[in-house]
Amino acid sequence: MDDMSGPYVIRGSVSLPEAELMWRFSRSSGPGGQHVNTSDSQVELRFDLAKTEALPEVWKQRALQRLASRLVDGVITVRASEHRSQWRNRETAAVRLAALLAEATAPPPKPRKPTRIPRGINERRLREKKQRAQTKRGRSGRDW
């Protein structure tokens, strides 16, 4: 793995502001032998979404709205403890945060334009429906 794969791009020219990321390291649960009890490999990455200047205002509002349930005082937290090395956990956490913000700041989808069903298709459906009813009616043996 290369050393800290550059700025983590959210979208376009906007990337995670290195200076605004708050890192916390703690002991990770899970496998790892004796060494695990002494190494702080779990990574907690916090990012103050409410106060950041790195995101365009529109994006920021969008993200605050969409991530409302995950925010604590406007701060978003991402944890990573899959890997045994703190370094790789840092990578994972940063990538995850970038992906989360990319999703939360995406523009809303375009509204769907309703389209009409062509008349021919509708008529064919009704014709086939009638035909089917006719067939079924012919099956009931009540006329003998």
Side-chain angles (χ1 to χ4, degrees), residues 5-12 14-18 21 23 45 47 49 55 59 63 67 70 76-78 90-106:
S5 49
Y8 295 94
V9 177
I10 295 174
R11 205 168 53 253
V14 182
S15 54
L16 282 181
E18 212 58 62
L21 300 180
W23 298 93
L45 173 56
F47 177 63
L49 194 54
L55 299 177
W59 287 23
L67 299 172
R70 286 197 57 169
I76 185 101
T77 308
V78 175
R90 284 179 72 150
E91 287 278 311
T92 308
V95 168
R96 220 180 271 167
L97 180 64
L100 193 69
L101 288 175
E103 202 177 309
T105 57

PDB file of all heavy atoms in Angstrom, residues 5-12 14-18 21 23 45 47 49 55 59 63 67 70 76-78 90-106:
ATOM      1  N   SER A   5      -3.028   7.522   0.290  1.00  0.00           N
ATOM      2  CA  SER A   5      -3.284   7.742  -1.133  1.00  0.00           C
ATOM      3  C   SER A   5      -3.941   9.096  -1.400  1.00  0.00           C
ATOM      4  O   SER A   5      -5.116   9.184  -1.701  1.00  0.00           O
ATOM      5  CB  SER A   5      -4.147   6.613  -1.692  1.00  0.00           C
ATOM      6  OG  SER A   5      -5.254   6.403  -0.845  1.00  0.00           O
ATOM      7  N   GLY A   6      -3.153  10.121  -1.246  1.00  0.00           N
ATOM      8  CA  GLY A   6      -3.550  11.485  -1.590  1.00  0.00           C
ATOM      9  C   GLY A   6      -4.839  11.941  -0.933  1.00  0.00           C
ATOM     10  O   GLY A   6      -5.339  11.318  -0.013  1.00  0.00           O
ATOM     11  N   PRO A   7      -5.371  13.047  -1.439  1.00  0.00           N
ATOM     12  CA  PRO A   7      -6.626  13.550  -0.886  1.00  0.00           C
ATOM     13  C   PRO A   7      -7.772  12.613  -1.275  1.00  0.00           C
ATOM     14  O   PRO A   7      -7.781  12.071  -2.375  1.00  0.00           O
ATOM     15  CB  PRO A   7      -6.787  14.918  -1.557  1.00  0.00           C
ATOM     16  CG  PRO A   7      -5.977  14.837  -2.799  1.00  0.00           C
ATOM     17  CD  PRO A   7      -4.877  13.860  -2.535  1.00  0.00           C
ATOM     18  N   TYR A   8      -8.704  12.415  -0.352  1.00  0.00           N
ATOM     19  CA  TYR A   8      -9.841  11.552  -0.644  1.00  0.00           C
ATOM     20  C   TYR A   8     -10.914  12.387  -1.319  1.00  0.00           C
ATOM     21  O   TYR A   8     -11.532  13.240  -0.695  1.00  0.00           O
ATOM     22  CB  TYR A   8     -10.358  10.926   0.652  1.00  0.00           C
ATOM     23  CG  TYR A   8      -9.330  10.004   1.252  1.00  0.00           C
ATOM     24  CD1 TYR A   8      -8.443  10.454   2.214  1.00  0.00           C
ATOM     25  CD2 TYR A   8      -9.216   8.697   0.803  1.00  0.00           C
ATOM     26  CE1 TYR A   8      -7.472   9.616   2.736  1.00  0.00           C
ATOM     27  CE2 TYR A   8      -8.245   7.853   1.319  1.00  0.00           C
ATOM     28  CZ  TYR A   8      -7.385   8.318   2.276  1.00  0.00           C
ATOM     29  OH  TYR A   8      -6.421   7.490   2.777  1.00  0.00           O
ATOM     30  N   VAL A   9     -11.103  12.133  -2.588  1.00  0.00           N
ATOM     31  CA  VAL A   9     -12.039  12.941  -3.372  1.00  0.00           C
ATOM     32  C   VAL A   9     -13.477  12.564  -3.049  1.00  0.00           C
ATOM     33  O   VAL A   9     -13.813  11.390  -2.989  1.00  0.00           O
ATOM     34  CB  VAL A   9     -11.782  12.750  -4.885  1.00  0.00           C
ATOM     35  CG1 VAL A   9     -12.795  13.521  -5.700  1.00  0.00           C
ATOM     36  CG2 VAL A   9     -10.378  13.201  -5.239  1.00  0.00           C
ATOM     37  N   ILE A  10     -14.290  13.579  -2.812  1.00  0.00           N
ATOM     38  CA  ILE A  10     -15.709  13.348  -2.582  1.00  0.00           C
ATOM     39  C   ILE A  10     -16.410  13.333  -3.938  1.00  0.00           C
ATOM     40  O   ILE A  10     -16.984  12.352  -4.348  1.00  0.00           O
ATOM     41  CB  ILE A  10     -16.312  14.438  -1.670  1.00  0.00           C
ATOM     42  CG1 ILE A  10     -15.671  14.342  -0.284  1.00  0.00           C
ATOM     43  CG2 ILE A  10     -17.820  14.265  -1.574  1.00  0.00           C
ATOM     44  CD1 ILE A  10     -16.062  15.444   0.653  1.00  0.00           C
ATOM     45  N   ARG A  11     -16.315  14.459  -4.648  1.00  0.00           N
ATOM     46  CA  ARG A  11     -16.834  14.501  -6.012  1.00  0.00           C
ATOM     47  C   ARG A  11     -16.243  15.700  -6.723  1.00  0.00           C
ATOM     48  O   ARG A  11     -16.144  16.775  -6.152  1.00  0.00           O
ATOM     49  CB  ARG A  11     -18.362  14.582  -6.011  1.00  0.00           C
ATOM     50  CG  ARG A  11     -18.965  14.038  -7.285  1.00  0.00           C
ATOM     51  CD  ARG A  11     -20.461  13.804  -7.262  1.00  0.00           C
ATOM     52  NE  ARG A  11     -21.218  14.954  -6.852  1.00  0.00           N
ATOM     53  CZ  ARG A  11     -21.807  15.043  -5.656  1.00  0.00           C
ATOM     54  NH1 ARG A  11     -21.728  14.047  -4.816  1.00  0.00           N
ATOM     55  NH2 ARG A  11     -22.473  16.105  -5.330  1.00  0.00           N
ATOM     56  N   GLY A  12     -15.842  15.501  -7.978  1.00  0.00           N
ATOM     57  CA  GLY A  12     -15.276  16.600  -8.746  1.00  0.00           C
ATOM     58  C   GLY A  12     -13.984  17.080  -8.128  1.00  0.00           C
ATOM     59  O   GLY A  12     -13.086  16.298  -7.874  1.00  0.00           O
ATOM     60  N   VAL A  14     -13.794  18.557  -5.193  1.00  0.00           N
ATOM     61  CA  VAL A  14     -13.933  18.656  -3.737  1.00  0.00           C
ATOM     62  C   VAL A  14     -13.423  17.387  -3.073  1.00  0.00           C
ATOM     63  O   VAL A  14     -13.819  16.292  -3.436  1.00  0.00           O
ATOM     64  CB  VAL A  14     -15.410  18.872  -3.342  1.00  0.00           C
ATOM     65  CG1 VAL A  14     -15.532  19.031  -1.839  1.00  0.00           C
ATOM     66  CG2 VAL A  14     -15.959  20.101  -4.039  1.00  0.00           C
ATOM     67  N   SER A  15     -12.511  17.552  -2.121  1.00  0.00           N
ATOM     68  CA  SER A  15     -12.022  16.376  -1.399  1.00  0.00           C
ATOM     69  C   SER A  15     -12.041  16.625   0.104  1.00  0.00           C
ATOM     70  O   SER A  15     -12.265  17.739   0.549  1.00  0.00           O
ATOM     71  CB  SER A  15     -10.606  16.028  -1.859  1.00  0.00           C
ATOM     72  OG  SER A  15      -9.777  17.152  -1.723  1.00  0.00           O
ATOM     73  N   LEU A  16     -11.808  15.556   0.865  1.00  0.00           N
ATOM     74  CA  LEU A  16     -11.835  15.677   2.328  1.00  0.00           C
ATOM     75  C   LEU A  16     -10.723  16.605   2.796  1.00  0.00           C
ATOM     76  O   LEU A  16      -9.564  16.406   2.443  1.00  0.00           O
ATOM     77  CB  LEU A  16     -11.624  14.310   2.980  1.00  0.00           C
ATOM     78  CG  LEU A  16     -12.791  13.338   3.036  1.00  0.00           C
ATOM     79  CD1 LEU A  16     -12.358  12.071   3.739  1.00  0.00           C
ATOM     80  CD2 LEU A  16     -13.972  13.935   3.746  1.00  0.00           C
ATOM     81  N   PRO A  17     -11.042  17.611   3.600  1.00  0.00           N
ATOM     82  CA  PRO A  17     -10.014  18.518   4.103  1.00  0.00           C
ATOM     83  C   PRO A  17      -9.210  17.845   5.213  1.00  0.00           C
ATOM     84  O   PRO A  17      -9.735  17.593   6.287  1.00  0.00           O
ATOM     85  CB  PRO A  17     -10.821  19.693   4.653  1.00  0.00           C
ATOM     86  CG  PRO A  17     -12.158  19.115   4.971  1.00  0.00           C
ATOM     87  CD  PRO A  17     -12.385  17.951   4.066  1.00  0.00           C
ATOM     88  N   GLU A  18      -7.959  17.521   4.903  1.00  0.00           N
ATOM     89  CA  GLU A  18      -7.082  16.816   5.847  1.00  0.00           C
ATOM     90  C   GLU A  18      -7.064  17.500   7.212  1.00  0.00           C
ATOM     91  O   GLU A  18      -7.084  16.860   8.248  1.00  0.00           O
ATOM     92  CB  GLU A  18      -5.666  16.794   5.252  1.00  0.00           C
ATOM     93  CG  GLU A  18      -4.836  15.569   5.598  1.00  0.00           C
ATOM     94  CD  GLU A  18      -5.468  14.243   5.170  1.00  0.00           C
ATOM     95  OE1 GLU A  18      -5.679  14.028   3.970  1.00  0.00           O
ATOM     96  OE2 GLU A  18      -5.730  13.421   6.064  1.00  0.00           O
ATOM     97  N   LEU A  21     -10.067  16.779   9.739  1.00  0.00           N
ATOM     98  CA  LEU A  21     -10.370  15.427  10.188  1.00  0.00           C
ATOM     99  C   LEU A  21      -9.828  15.208  11.591  1.00  0.00           C
ATOM    100  O   LEU A  21      -8.689  15.541  11.878  1.00  0.00           O
ATOM    101  CB  LEU A  21      -9.742  14.402   9.230  1.00  0.00           C
ATOM    102  CG  LEU A  21     -10.206  14.482   7.775  1.00  0.00           C
ATOM    103  CD1 LEU A  21      -9.513  13.424   6.943  1.00  0.00           C
ATOM    104  CD2 LEU A  21     -11.711  14.328   7.664  1.00  0.00           C
ATOM    105  N   TRP A  23      -8.920  12.434  14.320  1.00  0.00           N
ATOM    106  CA  TRP A  23      -8.681  10.997  14.443  1.00  0.00           C
ATOM    107  C   TRP A  23      -8.631  10.584  15.894  1.00  0.00           C
ATOM    108  O   TRP A  23      -8.118  11.316  16.735  1.00  0.00           O
ATOM    109  CB  TRP A  23      -7.347  10.634  13.799  1.00  0.00           C
ATOM    110  CG  TRP A  23      -7.271  10.922  12.343  1.00  0.00           C
ATOM    111  CD1 TRP A  23      -6.801  12.061  11.759  1.00  0.00           C
ATOM    112  CD2 TRP A  23      -7.675  10.076  11.267  1.00  0.00           C
ATOM    113  NE1 TRP A  23      -6.885  11.964  10.385  1.00  0.00           N
ATOM    114  CE2 TRP A  23      -7.404  10.751  10.065  1.00  0.00           C
ATOM    115  CE3 TRP A  23      -8.224   8.787  11.214  1.00  0.00           C
ATOM    116  CZ2 TRP A  23      -7.691  10.189   8.820  1.00  0.00           C
ATOM    117  CZ3 TRP A  23      -8.495   8.235   9.984  1.00  0.00           C
ATOM    118  CH2 TRP A  23      -8.232   8.936   8.803  1.00  0.00           C
ATOM    119  N   LEU A  45     -12.862   8.189  13.000  1.00  0.00           N
ATOM    120  CA  LEU A  45     -12.628   9.423  12.261  1.00  0.00           C
ATOM    121  C   LEU A  45     -13.840  10.322  12.424  1.00  0.00           C
ATOM    122  O   LEU A  45     -14.959   9.921  12.153  1.00  0.00           O
ATOM    123  CB  LEU A  45     -12.414   9.083  10.779  1.00  0.00           C
ATOM    124  CG  LEU A  45     -12.317  10.238   9.797  1.00  0.00           C
ATOM    125  CD1 LEU A  45     -11.225  11.202  10.201  1.00  0.00           C
ATOM    126  CD2 LEU A  45     -12.041   9.710   8.402  1.00  0.00           C
ATOM    127  N   PHE A  47     -15.653  14.170  11.689  1.00  0.00           N
ATOM    128  CA  PHE A  47     -15.606  15.292  10.764  1.00  0.00           C
ATOM    129  C   PHE A  47     -16.759  16.228  11.095  1.00  0.00           C
ATOM    130  O   PHE A  47     -17.907  15.808  11.132  1.00  0.00           O
ATOM    131  CB  PHE A  47     -15.724  14.771   9.328  1.00  0.00           C
ATOM    132  CG  PHE A  47     -15.766  15.854   8.286  1.00  0.00           C
ATOM    133  CD1 PHE A  47     -14.691  16.702   8.115  1.00  0.00           C
ATOM    134  CD2 PHE A  47     -16.885  16.014   7.483  1.00  0.00           C
ATOM    135  CE1 PHE A  47     -14.734  17.702   7.151  1.00  0.00           C
ATOM    136  CE2 PHE A  47     -16.932  17.012   6.523  1.00  0.00           C
ATOM    137  CZ  PHE A  47     -15.847  17.852   6.356  1.00  0.00           C
ATOM    138  N   LEU A  49     -19.268  18.386  10.207  1.00  0.00           N
ATOM    139  CA  LEU A  49     -20.004  18.739   8.997  1.00  0.00           C
ATOM    140  C   LEU A  49     -20.638  20.125   9.122  1.00  0.00           C
ATOM    141  O   LEU A  49     -20.701  20.880   8.158  1.00  0.00           O
ATOM    142  CB  LEU A  49     -21.088  17.678   8.761  1.00  0.00           C
ATOM    143  CG  LEU A  49     -21.772  17.641   7.418  1.00  0.00           C
ATOM    144  CD1 LEU A  49     -20.766  17.543   6.293  1.00  0.00           C
ATOM    145  CD2 LEU A  49     -22.735  16.468   7.356  1.00  0.00           C
ATOM    146  N   LEU A  55     -16.847  22.223   2.005  1.00  0.00           N
ATOM    147  CA  LEU A  55     -17.929  21.847   1.100  1.00  0.00           C
ATOM    148  C   LEU A  55     -18.701  23.065   0.626  1.00  0.00           C
ATOM    149  O   LEU A  55     -18.892  24.010   1.393  1.00  0.00           O
ATOM    150  CB  LEU A  55     -18.913  20.904   1.807  1.00  0.00           C
ATOM    151  CG  LEU A  55     -18.391  19.570   2.308  1.00  0.00           C
ATOM    152  CD1 LEU A  55     -19.489  18.823   3.030  1.00  0.00           C
ATOM    153  CD2 LEU A  55     -17.868  18.733   1.161  1.00  0.00           C
ATOM    154  N   TRP A  59     -24.151  21.764  -0.896  1.00  0.00           N
ATOM    155  CA  TRP A  59     -23.815  20.384  -0.534  1.00  0.00           C
ATOM    156  C   TRP A  59     -23.943  20.185   0.965  1.00  0.00           C
ATOM    157  O   TRP A  59     -24.447  19.184   1.433  1.00  0.00           O
ATOM    158  CB  TRP A  59     -22.375  20.073  -0.933  1.00  0.00           C
ATOM    159  CG  TRP A  59     -22.153  19.904  -2.387  1.00  0.00           C
ATOM    160  CD1 TRP A  59     -22.918  20.404  -3.403  1.00  0.00           C
ATOM    161  CD2 TRP A  59     -21.089  19.188  -3.008  1.00  0.00           C
ATOM    162  NE1 TRP A  59     -22.381  20.042  -4.599  1.00  0.00           N
ATOM    163  CE2 TRP A  59     -21.252  19.312  -4.395  1.00  0.00           C
ATOM    164  CE3 TRP A  59     -20.005  18.483  -2.507  1.00  0.00           C
ATOM    165  CZ2 TRP A  59     -20.382  18.719  -5.300  1.00  0.00           C
ATOM    166  CZ3 TRP A  59     -19.134  17.907  -3.405  1.00  0.00           C
ATOM    167  CH2 TRP A  59     -19.325  18.020  -4.790  1.00  0.00           C
ATOM    168  N   ALA A  63     -26.184  17.528   2.889  1.00  0.00           N
ATOM    169  CA  ALA A  63     -25.585  16.490   3.721  1.00  0.00           C
ATOM    170  C   ALA A  63     -26.146  16.546   5.144  1.00  0.00           C
ATOM    171  O   ALA A  63     -26.452  15.512   5.738  1.00  0.00           O
ATOM    172  CB  ALA A  63     -24.075  16.635   3.741  1.00  0.00           C
ATOM    173  N   LEU A  67     -27.988  13.284   6.537  1.00  0.00           N
ATOM    174  CA  LEU A  67     -27.287  12.500   7.559  1.00  0.00           C
ATOM    175  C   LEU A  67     -27.754  12.845   8.962  1.00  0.00           C
ATOM    176  O   LEU A  67     -27.121  12.460   9.940  1.00  0.00           O
ATOM    177  CB  LEU A  67     -25.778  12.729   7.447  1.00  0.00           C
ATOM    178  CG  LEU A  67     -25.127  12.318   6.125  1.00  0.00           C
ATOM    179  CD1 LEU A  67     -23.681  12.774   6.084  1.00  0.00           C
ATOM    180  CD2 LEU A  67     -25.190  10.823   5.923  1.00  0.00           C
ATOM    181  N   ARG A  70     -27.462  10.493  11.777  1.00  0.00           N
ATOM    182  CA  ARG A  70     -26.134  10.008  12.155  1.00  0.00           C
ATOM    183  C   ARG A  70     -25.267  11.062  12.815  1.00  0.00           C
ATOM    184  O   ARG A  70     -24.176  10.773  13.267  1.00  0.00           O
ATOM    185  CB  ARG A  70     -25.393   9.497  10.906  1.00  0.00           C
ATOM    186  CG  ARG A  70     -25.906   8.179  10.404  1.00  0.00           C
ATOM    187  CD  ARG A  70     -24.922   7.541   9.462  1.00  0.00           C
ATOM    188  NE  ARG A  70     -23.610   7.354  10.069  1.00  0.00           N
ATOM    189  CZ  ARG A  70     -22.655   6.622   9.516  1.00  0.00           C
ATOM    190  NH1 ARG A  70     -22.853   6.020   8.380  1.00  0.00           N
ATOM    191  NH2 ARG A  70     -21.477   6.491  10.104  1.00  0.00           N
ATOM    192  N   ILE A  76     -19.977  14.070  12.147  1.00  0.00           N
ATOM    193  CA  ILE A  76     -20.208  12.708  11.655  1.00  0.00           C
ATOM    194  C   ILE A  76     -19.022  11.833  12.065  1.00  0.00           C
ATOM    195  O   ILE A  76     -17.880  12.282  12.018  1.00  0.00           O
ATOM    196  CB  ILE A  76     -20.418  12.694  10.127  1.00  0.00           C
ATOM    197  CG1 ILE A  76     -20.770  11.293   9.628  1.00  0.00           C
ATOM    198  CG2 ILE A  76     -19.217  13.183   9.357  1.00  0.00           C
ATOM    199  CD1 ILE A  76     -22.222  11.120   9.370  1.00  0.00           C
ATOM    200  N   THR A  77     -19.319  10.616  12.514  1.00  0.00           N
ATOM    201  CA  THR A  77     -18.258   9.715  12.974  1.00  0.00           C
ATOM    202  C   THR A  77     -18.241   8.438  12.165  1.00  0.00           C
ATOM    203  O   THR A  77     -19.285   7.861  11.900  1.00  0.00           O
ATOM    204  CB  THR A  77     -18.483   9.349  14.458  1.00  0.00           C
ATOM    205  OG1 THR A  77     -18.640  10.554  15.198  1.00  0.00           O
ATOM    206  CG2 THR A  77     -17.326   8.576  15.019  1.00  0.00           C
ATOM    207  N   VAL A  78     -17.036   8.025  11.755  1.00  0.00           N
ATOM    208  CA  VAL A  78     -16.885   6.775  11.019  1.00  0.00           C
ATOM    209  C   VAL A  78     -15.857   5.926  11.747  1.00  0.00           C
ATOM    210  O   VAL A  78     -14.795   6.417  12.121  1.00  0.00           O
ATOM    211  CB  VAL A  78     -16.394   7.060   9.572  1.00  0.00           C
ATOM    212  CG1 VAL A  78     -16.130   5.758   8.840  1.00  0.00           C
ATOM    213  CG2 VAL A  78     -17.412   7.886   8.813  1.00  0.00           C
ATOM    214  N   ARG A  90      -7.094   3.403   8.929  1.00  0.00           N
ATOM    215  CA  ARG A  90      -7.221   4.835   8.630  1.00  0.00           C
ATOM    216  C   ARG A  90      -7.687   5.013   7.197  1.00  0.00           C
ATOM    217  O   ARG A  90      -8.563   5.811   6.914  1.00  0.00           O
ATOM    218  CB  ARG A  90      -5.869   5.528   8.806  1.00  0.00           C
ATOM    219  CG  ARG A  90      -5.509   5.750  10.249  1.00  0.00           C
ATOM    220  CD  ARG A  90      -4.173   6.412  10.381  1.00  0.00           C
ATOM    221  NE  ARG A  90      -4.216   7.805   9.970  1.00  0.00           N
ATOM    222  CZ  ARG A  90      -3.439   8.746  10.482  1.00  0.00           C
ATOM    223  NH1 ARG A  90      -2.594   8.442  11.423  1.00  0.00           N
ATOM    224  NH2 ARG A  90      -3.518   9.979  10.066  1.00  0.00           N
ATOM    225  N   GLU A  91      -7.050   4.253   6.308  1.00  0.00           N
ATOM    226  CA  GLU A  91      -7.437   4.293   4.891  1.00  0.00           C
ATOM    227  C   GLU A  91      -8.933   3.995   4.754  1.00  0.00           C
ATOM    228  O   GLU A  91      -9.673   4.740   4.139  1.00  0.00           O
ATOM    229  CB  GLU A  91      -6.674   3.212   4.110  1.00  0.00           C
ATOM    230  CG  GLU A  91      -5.219   3.513   3.891  1.00  0.00           C
ATOM    231  CD  GLU A  91      -5.010   4.437   2.694  1.00  0.00           C
ATOM    232  OE1 GLU A  91      -5.573   4.172   1.631  1.00  0.00           O
ATOM    233  OE2 GLU A  91      -4.304   5.438   2.854  1.00  0.00           O
ATOM    234  N   THR A  92      -9.325   2.876   5.354  1.00  0.00           N
ATOM    235  CA  THR A  92     -10.711   2.421   5.261  1.00  0.00           C
ATOM    236  C   THR A  92     -11.671   3.490   5.770  1.00  0.00           C
ATOM    237  O   THR A  92     -12.674   3.793   5.129  1.00  0.00           O
ATOM    238  CB  THR A  92     -10.908   1.135   6.090  1.00  0.00           C
ATOM    239  OG1 THR A  92      -9.908   0.196   5.697  1.00  0.00           O
ATOM    240  CG2 THR A  92     -12.270   0.523   5.844  1.00  0.00           C
ATOM    241  N   ALA A  93     -11.355   4.069   6.933  1.00  0.00           N
ATOM    242  CA  ALA A  93     -12.240   5.074   7.525  1.00  0.00           C
ATOM    243  C   ALA A  93     -12.363   6.291   6.622  1.00  0.00           C
ATOM    244  O   ALA A  93     -13.460   6.806   6.397  1.00  0.00           O
ATOM    245  CB  ALA A  93     -11.710   5.485   8.895  1.00  0.00           C
ATOM    246  N   ALA A  94     -11.233   6.752   6.088  1.00  0.00           N
ATOM    247  CA  ALA A  94     -11.263   7.941   5.233  1.00  0.00           C
ATOM    248  C   ALA A  94     -12.044   7.685   3.957  1.00  0.00           C
ATOM    249  O   ALA A  94     -12.852   8.513   3.528  1.00  0.00           O
ATOM    250  CB  ALA A  94      -9.839   8.388   4.909  1.00  0.00           C
ATOM    251  N   VAL A  95     -11.825   6.525   3.357  1.00  0.00           N
ATOM    252  CA  VAL A  95     -12.553   6.185   2.132  1.00  0.00           C
ATOM    253  C   VAL A  95     -14.046   6.105   2.420  1.00  0.00           C
ATOM    254  O   VAL A  95     -14.872   6.587   1.648  1.00  0.00           O
ATOM    255  CB  VAL A  95     -12.042   4.830   1.561  1.00  0.00           C
ATOM    256  CG1 VAL A  95     -12.959   4.318   0.473  1.00  0.00           C
ATOM    257  CG2 VAL A  95     -10.633   5.000   1.022  1.00  0.00           C
ATOM    258  N   ARG A  96     -14.373   5.515   3.565  1.00  0.00           N
ATOM    259  CA  ARG A  96     -15.781   5.379   3.934  1.00  0.00           C
ATOM    260  C   ARG A  96     -16.445   6.737   4.133  1.00  0.00           C
ATOM    261  O   ARG A  96     -17.575   6.961   3.714  1.00  0.00           O
ATOM    262  CB  ARG A  96     -15.877   4.555   5.215  1.00  0.00           C
ATOM    263  CG  ARG A  96     -17.025   3.576   5.191  1.00  0.00           C
ATOM    264  CD  ARG A  96     -17.094   2.782   6.450  1.00  0.00           C
ATOM    265  NE  ARG A  96     -16.284   1.583   6.368  1.00  0.00           N
ATOM    266  CZ  ARG A  96     -15.969   0.845   7.429  1.00  0.00           C
ATOM    267  NH1 ARG A  96     -16.341   1.234   8.624  1.00  0.00           N
ATOM    268  NH2 ARG A  96     -15.255  -0.241   7.295  1.00  0.00           N
ATOM    269  N   LEU A  97     -15.726   7.642   4.801  1.00  0.00           N
ATOM    270  CA  LEU A  97     -16.263   8.979   5.037  1.00  0.00           C
ATOM    271  C   LEU A  97     -16.471   9.700   3.708  1.00  0.00           C
ATOM    272  O   LEU A  97     -17.505  10.336   3.486  1.00  0.00           O
ATOM    273  CB  LEU A  97     -15.315   9.786   5.935  1.00  0.00           C
ATOM    274  CG  LEU A  97     -15.785  11.204   6.255  1.00  0.00           C
ATOM    275  CD1 LEU A  97     -17.075  11.193   7.052  1.00  0.00           C
ATOM    276  CD2 LEU A  97     -14.720  11.962   7.024  1.00  0.00           C
ATOM    277  N   ALA A  98     -15.489   9.583   2.823  1.00  0.00           N
ATOM    278  CA  ALA A  98     -15.601  10.233   1.514  1.00  0.00           C
ATOM    279  C   ALA A  98     -16.811   9.703   0.756  1.00  0.00           C
ATOM    280  O   ALA A  98     -17.578  10.472   0.159  1.00  0.00           O
ATOM    281  CB  ALA A  98     -14.328  10.016   0.699  1.00  0.00           C
ATOM    282  N   ALA A  99     -17.001   8.385   0.801  1.00  0.00           N
ATOM    283  CA  ALA A  99     -18.131   7.776   0.092  1.00  0.00           C
ATOM    284  C   ALA A  99     -19.459   8.243   0.692  1.00  0.00           C
ATOM    285  O   ALA A  99     -20.410   8.544  -0.030  1.00  0.00           O
ATOM    286  CB  ALA A  99     -18.029   6.259   0.165  1.00  0.00           C
ATOM    287  N   LEU A 100     -19.475   8.324   2.023  1.00  0.00           N
ATOM    288  CA  LEU A 100     -20.689   8.744   2.728  1.00  0.00           C
ATOM    289  C   LEU A 100     -21.062  10.169   2.327  1.00  0.00           C
ATOM    290  O   LEU A 100     -22.226  10.466   2.017  1.00  0.00           O
ATOM    291  CB  LEU A 100     -20.423   8.676   4.233  1.00  0.00           C
ATOM    292  CG  LEU A 100     -21.616   8.767   5.156  1.00  0.00           C
ATOM    293  CD1 LEU A 100     -22.457   7.516   5.045  1.00  0.00           C
ATOM    294  CD2 LEU A 100     -21.140   8.925   6.589  1.00  0.00           C
ATOM    295  N   LEU A 101     -20.055  11.040   2.316  1.00  0.00           N
ATOM    296  CA  LEU A 101     -20.308  12.438   1.959  1.00  0.00           C
ATOM    297  C   LEU A 101     -20.684  12.563   0.490  1.00  0.00           C
ATOM    298  O   LEU A 101     -21.527  13.379   0.120  1.00  0.00           O
ATOM    299  CB  LEU A 101     -19.089  13.298   2.274  1.00  0.00           C
ATOM    300  CG  LEU A 101     -18.840  13.525   3.768  1.00  0.00           C
ATOM    301  CD1 LEU A 101     -17.553  14.289   4.004  1.00  0.00           C
ATOM    302  CD2 LEU A 101     -19.993  14.273   4.408  1.00  0.00           C
ATOM    303  N   ALA A 102     -20.063  11.740  -0.359  1.00  0.00           N
ATOM    304  CA  ALA A 102     -20.388  11.795  -1.787  1.00  0.00           C
ATOM    305  C   ALA A 102     -21.861  11.463  -1.982  1.00  0.00           C
ATOM    306  O   ALA A 102     -22.564  12.118  -2.755  1.00  0.00           O
ATOM    307  CB  ALA A 102     -19.519  10.804  -2.556  1.00  0.00           C
ATOM    308  N   GLU A 103     -22.305  10.447  -1.249  1.00  0.00           N
ATOM    309  CA  GLU A 103     -23.700  10.026  -1.385  1.00  0.00           C
ATOM    310  C   GLU A 103     -24.631  11.094  -0.827  1.00  0.00           C
ATOM    311  O   GLU A 103     -25.665  11.406  -1.410  1.00  0.00           O
ATOM    312  CB  GLU A 103     -23.892   8.715  -0.621  1.00  0.00           C
ATOM    313  CG  GLU A 103     -25.075   7.912  -1.088  1.00  0.00           C
ATOM    314  CD  GLU A 103     -25.181   6.584  -0.352  1.00  0.00           C
ATOM    315  OE1 GLU A 103     -24.179   5.854  -0.298  1.00  0.00           O
ATOM    316  OE2 GLU A 103     -26.271   6.306   0.173  1.00  0.00           O
ATOM    317  N   ALA A 104     -24.261  11.666   0.316  1.00  0.00           N
ATOM    318  CA  ALA A 104     -25.127  12.625   0.991  1.00  0.00           C
ATOM    319  C   ALA A 104     -25.201  13.969   0.266  1.00  0.00           C
ATOM    320  O   ALA A 104     -26.153  14.715   0.439  1.00  0.00           O
ATOM    321  CB  ALA A 104     -24.650  12.841   2.414  1.00  0.00           C
ATOM    322  N   THR A 105     -24.180  14.284  -0.538  1.00  0.00           N
ATOM    323  CA  THR A 105     -24.190  15.594  -1.196  1.00  0.00           C
ATOM    324  C   THR A 105     -24.655  15.503  -2.646  1.00  0.00           C
ATOM    325  O   THR A 105     -24.712  16.497  -3.339  1.00  0.00           O
ATOM    326  CB  THR A 105     -22.783  16.223  -1.187  1.00  0.00           C
ATOM    327  OG1 THR A 105     -21.878  15.313  -1.823  1.00  0.00           O
ATOM    328  CG2 THR A 105     -22.317  16.528   0.218  1.00  0.00           C
ATOM    329  N   ALA A 106     -24.973  14.292  -3.100  1.00  0.00           N
ATOM    330  CA  ALA A 106     -25.405  14.123  -4.491  1.00  0.00           C
ATOM    331  C   ALA A 106     -26.684  14.908  -4.749  1.00  0.00           C
ATOM    332  O   ALA A 106     -27.532  15.025  -3.869  1.00  0.00           O
ATOM    333  CB  ALA A 106     -25.632  12.649  -4.779  1.00  0.00           C
TER     334      ALA A 106
END
